[in-house]
């Protein structure tokens, strides 16, 4: 183990993330870093956070129809923009089936989003 694990410089963190993606870090080190709160896959973390916020919105409002320009008041995350991007990705086929299924289950996406987009010529 390195003595400088606590060095959170952007360059070091990028190197650690790259090593984690390629499998160069041992499982114990990855577990230790996660235990310290390190986010090794920041884009995945942002997606998970967006999904969590849509679920919280649905619990609070009774539906997942996030209003245009809505920003989560607690986190400052522009949830409407995040959800609009997920919808664009789903229409273009760029959203994984697992992610699409989560959004469909919450009612944030129609089950046939890609078919509906094709019918409209999107």
């Amino acid at each position: 183990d390195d003595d400088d694990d606590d060095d959170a410089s952007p360059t070091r963190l990028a190197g650690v993330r790259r090593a984690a993606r390629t499998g160069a870090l041992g499982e114990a080190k990855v577990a230790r870093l996660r235990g310290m709160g390190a986010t090794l896959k920041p884009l995945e973390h942002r997606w998970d956070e967006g999904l969590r916020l849509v679920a919280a919105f649905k619990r609070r409002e009774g539906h997942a129809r996030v209003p245009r320009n809505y920003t989560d008041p607690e986190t400052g995350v522009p949830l409407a923009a995040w959800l609009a991007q997920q919808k664009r990705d789903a229409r273009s086929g760029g959203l994984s089936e697992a992610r699409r299924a989560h959004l469909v289950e919450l009612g944030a996406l129609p089950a046939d989003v890609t078919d509906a987009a094709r019918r409209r010529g999107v």
Side-chain angles (χ1 to χ4, degrees):
D1 275 29
D2 297 334
D3 290 329
D4 60 347
D5 280 343
D6 293 331
D7 177 8
S9 72
T11 302
R12 172 135 172 85
L13 189 53
V16 168
R17 286 177 174 152
R18 191 171 25 263
R21 272 194 316 273
T22 62
L25 292 181
E27 289 182 31
K29 190 159 195 170
V30 168
R32 194 167 117 229
L33 288 167
R34 286 193 174 130
M36 292 169 34
T39 301
L40 299 177
K41 296 180 178 180
L43 294 178
E44 188 173 302
H45 174 74
R46 278 188 276 200
W47 199 90
D48 292 343
E49 176 72 356
L51 183 65
R52 185 188 70 73
L53 291 173
V54 171
F57 181 92
K58 181 178 180 178
R59 277 191 305 278
R60 189 174 56 252
E61 303 296 327
H63 61 81
R65 294 180 308 277
V66 176
R68 183 184 305 261
N69 298 322
Y70 178 82
T71 296
D72 182 74
E74 292 181 24
T75 63
V77 170
L79 191 57
W82 179 86
L83 191 53
Q85 182 63 54
Q86 305 318 305
K87 290 176 181 179
R88 283 190 298 275
D89 290 347
R91 283 192 302 268
S92 70
L95 191 64
S96 75
E97 182 58 33
R99 287 181 173 185
R100 190 188 69 74
H102 285 301
L103 291 170
V104 167
E105 182 179 329
L106 284 172
L109 279 181
D112 64 344
V113 67
T114 53
D115 292 336
R118 270 191 231 108
R119 284 193 301 271
R120 287 192 318 270
V122 176

